[in-house]
């Protein structure tokens, strides 16, 4: 039995080794070489200079904002979905945009937020007048939140669906208000879904680079943007790999911190 199980594990182990472990080791290897191909640890010294530290803080700040706004929108939406009749249909409509290519969605927002786009036309109709919407922090965060909403809603929706209604009924029978039931019963019992959603949003938000170029016009510089620039523009693969190493470490720490289960969890 154990031999059979070990045999079926071989494809999984090979996949992890080839497409997870090997790329990480390769990134770590390149991080010890400068632009001329000489072995060095200077890349790690450069990362701790004000320029790269400021970029790192900026990346975490924008990832935090994107995750926060996505959570604020997604949790009520997921909760309402569990109360609707045709929940599966509504859930499908929310998931559908995630099937569209990211580049296509980014170009669609270029048209929507452009000078002569529908957004500015609406602002003119209500008397505000045309505004510069594209290439701003607002447009970047708005588009990022739109892209990540399905990835936050799904795990929260699944947690709410699995929630035993007897817990909320018991709290209601004991005289708890709606807000108290949510704060003391519903939210704590769906915290695993919130953590999974935050992982699914925060981690990729740290390394965004396509929409920073197209939507914010490179006004927003993230770690993902810096990696792209070093690999494709300056050809300094060593520094790009060094940034990637720290990004991988940050992602691993976030996964560990958000992956812990609360003691005494009733779910």
């Amino acid at each position: 039995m154990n031999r059979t199980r070990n045999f079926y594990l071989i494809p999984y182990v090979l996949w992890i080794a080839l497409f997870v472990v090997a790329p990480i080791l390769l990134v770590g290897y390149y991080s010890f070489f400068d632009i001329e191909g000489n072995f060095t640890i200077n890349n790690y010294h450069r990362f701790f200079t004000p320029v790269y530290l400021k970029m790192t803080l900026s990346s975490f700040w924008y990832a935090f904002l994107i995750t926060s706004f996505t959570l604020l929108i997604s949790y009520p939406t997921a909760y309402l979905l569990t109360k609707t009749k045709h929940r599966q249909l509504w859930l499908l409509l929310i998931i559908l945009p995630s099937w569209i290519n990211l580049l296509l969605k980014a170009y669609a927002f270029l048209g929507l937020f452009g000078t002569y786009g529908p957004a500015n036309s609406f602002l003119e109709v209500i008397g505000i007048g045309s505004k510069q919407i594209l290439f701003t922090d607002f447009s970047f965060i708005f588009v990022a939140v739109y892209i990540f909403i399905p990835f936050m809603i799904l795990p929260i929706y699944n947690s709410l669906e699995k929630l035993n209604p007897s817990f909320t009924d018991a709290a209601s029978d004991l005289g708890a208000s709606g807000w108290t039931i949510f704060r003391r019963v519903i939210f704590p019992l769906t915290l695993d879904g919130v953590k999974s959603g935050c992982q699914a949003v925060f981690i990729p938000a740290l390394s965004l680079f396509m929409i920073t170029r197209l939507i914010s016009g490179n006004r927003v510089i993230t770690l993902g943007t810096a990696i792209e620039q070093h690999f494709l523009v300056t050809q300094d693969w060593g520094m790009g790999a060094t940034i990637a190493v720290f990004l991988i470490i940050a992602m691993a720490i976030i996964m560990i911190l958000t992956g812990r289960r609360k003691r005494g969890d009733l779910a």
Side-chain angles (χ1 to χ4, degrees):
M1 188 69 178
N2 288 334
R3 287 183 179 179
T4 304
R5 185 177 61 182
N6 292 336
F7 176 78
Y8 286 119
L9 281 175
I10 291 174
Y12 173 76
V13 172
L14 287 175
W15 179 274
I16 295 297
L18 289 174
F19 299 106
V20 178
V21 177
I24 291 174
L25 292 177
L26 194 60
V27 167
Y29 171 77
Y30 275 114
S31 69
F32 289 104
F33 292 90
D34 60 20
I35 194 169
E36 296 175 352
N38 301 316
F39 181 85
T40 181
I41 60 170
N42 189 49
N43 292 327
Y44 288 89
H45 292 157
R46 287 172 60 193
F47 183 83
F48 289 100
T49 57
V51 172
Y52 289 102
L53 289 177
K54 184 179 178 181
M55 189 187 304
T56 303
L57 291 174
S58 176
S59 296
F60 274 88
W61 173 243
Y62 281 110
F64 171 76
L65 288 177
I66 292 167
T67 305
S68 299
F69 286 123
T70 306
L71 178 61
L72 287 174
I73 296 169
S74 299
Y75 200 103
T77 304
Y79 183 78
L80 289 173
L81 279 174
T82 62
K83 305 297 180 183
T84 57
K85 265 188 177 182
H86 307 289
R87 63 187 70 177
Q88 298 301 327
L89 174 62
W90 287 108
L91 191 63
L92 177 63
L93 293 176
I94 290 171
I95 296 171
L96 273 177
S98 66
W99 298 353
I100 301 172
N101 184 272
L102 179 60
L103 186 61
L104 292 177
K105 288 188 282 190
Y107 275 112
F109 276 103
L110 287 176
L112 290 171
F113 288 160
T115 305
Y116 304 104
N120 267 314
S121 298
F122 174 75
L123 292 178
E124 288 181 354
V125 168
I126 62 177
I128 296 177
S130 181
K131 298 291 181 181
Q132 178 63 45
I133 303 175
L134 274 178
F135 313 132
T136 61
D137 289 358
F138 165 79
S139 61
F140 169 69
I141 294 173
F142 184 94
V143 174
V145 169
Y146 166 78
I147 290 169
F148 287 126
I149 276 178
F151 304 102
M152 181 72 81
I153 286 179
L154 278 175
I156 295 175
Y157 173 82
N158 288 334
S159 292
L160 288 167
E161 277 283 275
K162 294 175 183 176
L163 181 64
N164 192 334
S166 63
F167 292 134
T168 56
D169 293 340
S172 180
D173 291 341
L174 291 170
S177 64
W179 169 245
T180 302
I181 292 173
F182 171 77
R183 184 170 56 89
R184 301 294 297 273
V185 180
I186 297 175
F187 187 77
L189 293 178
T190 56
L191 195 57
D192 282 343
V194 173
K195 287 180 179 180
S196 297
C198 289
Q199 279 186 3
V201 174
F202 191 91
I203 291 175
L206 275 177
S207 55
L208 283 173
F209 68 91
M210 185 185 296
I211 64 173
T212 58
R213 181 185 295 276
L214 294 175
I215 304 299
S216 67
N218 276 347
R219 280 173 49 88
V220 176
I221 303 298
T222 64
L223 293 176
T225 309
I227 293 171
E228 180 205 21
Q229 291 291 316
H230 280 301
F231 272 96
L232 300 181
V233 180
T234 66
Q235 298 293 306
D236 189 354
W237 288 21
M239 194 60 217
T242 302
I243 300 170
V245 167
F246 282 98
L247 188 59
I248 292 168
I249 293 171
M251 291 176 176
I253 292 172
I254 292 165
M255 291 182 69
I256 292 169
L257 292 176
T258 57
R260 293 177 180 173
R261 295 180 64 85
K262 288 180 66 177
R263 292 182 180 179
D265 195 348
L266 296 175

